[in-house]
Amino acid sequence: MKLFGFNKKAKETKFKITKPDRNWVEDNFKWLIQAYGYPNRQSEQVLITDKHFPKALSIGDFKVQNLIEDLSDSVGVNSKMIKYKLHEDLRDLYGIPFEIQEKPFETELEVNEGFYIIHIAKSISERPNRLVFNLIHEFVKIRLTENKLQFDTGEDTDLFLYIAAVYLGFGVILSQNLTDTGRFNDGFWETNWSYVSEIPNEVLAFSLATYSMLIGQDNPEWKSELPQELKLQFESAIIFLTNSPSKLFNKAELDVSNLFHQASLEYQNSDFNSAISTLQKTLFLTEDELLKASIYNNIGYYQLRKGDYEKGILNLKKALKIDYDYGFVYDNLGYAFIKIGQIEEGKKYLEKALQTENNDNAYTHRNFALYYLAKKEIEKAELNFQLAFEHETVSVDLLEFYYGSFLIDQGKTETGMEYLRIAMKKGEPEAIKRMNEIEKD
């Protein structure tokens, strides 16, 4: 991640961007694209609406827990991993004069093994806009941390988080909260506060324009939600990028991103053949070798879901030739070899997955459960199923299906059926087939 200093001259209504500032934004977008890929054309900015904040808005009150659950859904993490603590300080005391000279504590993220704690100043928990603004920054950190990306570079870290937030879809909300000033007077006591963001308007406008051009939208609906001055700068930035395109705007790679997203939707609908066919098209479009590794991994995994283990293993090994340290591939190969009865070979791949430290532990433990189940070591199988559930940050394919089947085979039919029903609700064809067999019997 390359960082540059900002040109912090007085803001002007007319859009301007210095070369160092442009390089700074584009280099950080490039770093994010290398980590996550291009945003797909169906991407959108998160807004304060029922769609994006259903729990918080359903009761008409931005309670911390509801916001955490909504933001967890937005960034794709398990809300059960996230706790919070409210802290009181002088700002919560009545009738005591004080002034904070430096930036006051508002939120701070504590990372523990397996979960996160967000420390929150009680004083901002009662100011919804400020609370949302700060929580977004903490959730951006959580998303980056979950993907094991090193983003803390010192004094420019907070500024980088704005770029990451734009990339992850939170730019509009942040733009609506660049300043926060207010005064409260109850007739006896007056409290004043004032906050102005460090990021210049033109840099944020350029970042939003870059994001918008990446998804092929030069006139997005959400621009009407921007503050007026920033909206004008955004429109000027779009014109600027149209006349002076960024090297980031690679049409072929944008097409690949769109097809990758399409394949993901097809897979979620259990249309494995279409998902494989869509991904195969992307191999002829991209020149990004690491992306090719992801494509081969997904093709191979989708083939495993079809039961075509020979082809799946072949494509997974193609992914390893490109990226030898790809934890997900080792996990999938471990699963494949266990499923075809070569369980010790499968175990070796699962151990390698753990060694990479970029695997998904929930999938790894699910696969270890299948390994121990094949060895008829029931207690170890149960232990690994439980570890899989404990490490689950996003929904794990077939976890409920395999655990439900395991329980039924152990004579715990009622509990096992509950898990099978969960797997059926996820649309997993394996669970539907198993349930049909049970009902026939």
Side-chain angles (χ1 to χ4, degrees), residues 307-346:
D308 197 342
Y309 295 103
E310 184 176 346
K311 288 183 179 179
I313 290 170
L314 180 63
N315 279 297
L316 290 168
K317 288 186 173 180
K318 286 181 181 179
L320 275 190
K321 286 182 180 179
I322 298 171
D323 185 358
Y324 188 73
D325 198 39
Y326 199 160
F328 284 24
V329 178
Y330 284 115
D331 244 335
N332 290 334
L333 281 167
Y335 171 70
F337 279 103
I338 290 169
K339 290 295 290 181
I340 63 175
Q342 297 182 33
I343 62 173
E344 297 305 328
E345 183 72 7

Side-chain angles (χ1 to χ4, degrees), residues 97-152:
F98 70 94
E99 182 178 353
I100 298 176
Q101 297 294 335
E102 298 181 359
K103 184 178 179 180
F105 156 71
E106 293 188 329
T107 59
E108 184 176 328
L109 182 67
E110 178 185 345
V111 181
N112 283 287
E113 186 175 352
F115 65 92
Y116 301 88
I117 300 175
I118 302 177
H119 298 277
I120 303 170
K122 184 178 178 182
S123 57
I124 72 155
S125 68
E126 299 169 358
R127 289 156 53 198
N129 291 347
R130 196 77 198 136
L131 177 61
V132 173
F133 176 89
N134 278 275
L135 286 178
I136 284 173
H137 276 283
E138 304 308 339
F139 269 87
V140 170
K141 294 177 190 175
I142 290 171
R143 175 67 186 276
L144 295 169
T145 303
E146 280 293 292
N147 294 109
K148 299 175 182 176
L149 300 177
Q150 297 298 321
F151 61 90
D152 190 350

